[in-house]
Amino acid sequence: MPEDLDKKIALHGRRLYGLCIKLCGNQYDAEDLYQETWLRVYCKWDRYDDALPFEHWLTAICVNCYRDSLRRNRWEKLIADFPTNQEKDSAVNSIAADEDKENFQLWEAVRRLPEKYRTAIILHYFRGYNVKELSHVLKIPEGTVKYRLHRARELLKGELSP
């Protein structure tokens, strides 16, 4: 194992796990995504350009792993329709402690967004990525990032309006 990787895991592990929770919405899938992301980082370590921010590279790998898992599980999700109450309870319990009751509705609305909008919203508003960084991480044009953020805000506004 590359020596620097241990340091990177210690430095970025908690933040990565938080991103995995927000993307997946439940602890079990998040743990799988977290492990898969670090495995891919290890396998692709020789491709990392240390002149670029590690966190952006790590986030791109995580998002790609998440997308791959969605593709693999597409049929399972069609059959299952919606998660069970137990899975929902687990997701709610895994939310960070600083998210109070008034944010609960927001998080539920974010979780219901289509994947491409949910990913953009989480990375932009909860991880602090700007449009240019999102464009690089998601491998889409900046205009598409702006549209996805705009559309996601519209969908959230519709969900959260009385």
Side-chain angles (χ1 to χ4, degrees), residues 101-140:
K101 288 182 181 177
E102 67 185 41
N103 288 329
F104 177 78
Q105 287 181 328
L106 172 63
W107 277 109
E108 284 299 307
V110 168
R111 284 190 186 100
R112 286 190 298 269
L113 287 173
E115 180 267 332
K116 63 185 178 182
Y117 301 131
R118 182 175 60 247
T119 301
I121 285 289
I122 289 171
L123 292 177
H124 183 68
Y125 289 104
F126 300 101
R127 292 292 177 219
Y129 284 77
N130 64 36
V131 171
K132 187 174 184 173
E133 292 167 334
L134 275 172
S135 173
H136 178 73
V137 166
L138 299 175
K139 296 180 175 79
I140 58 176

Side-chain angles (χ1 to χ4, degrees), residues 36-80:
E36 179 68 23
T37 300
W38 283 119
L39 178 62
R40 283 200 195 170
V41 166
Y42 176 77
C43 291
K44 296 178 182 211
W45 186 254
D46 59 334
R47 297 182 197 170
Y48 171 59
D49 179 3
D50 59 359
L52 300 173
F54 179 78
E55 189 167 343
H56 292 178
W57 186 66
L58 178 64
T59 301
I61 290 174
C62 180
V63 168
N64 288 333
C65 286
Y66 176 66
R67 287 179 176 163
D68 290 347
S69 73
L70 288 178
R71 280 191 285 274
R72 278 192 308 265
N73 296 327
R74 181 171 288 150
W75 291 109
E76 287 177 28
K77 290 185 187 238
L78 286 174
I79 294 169

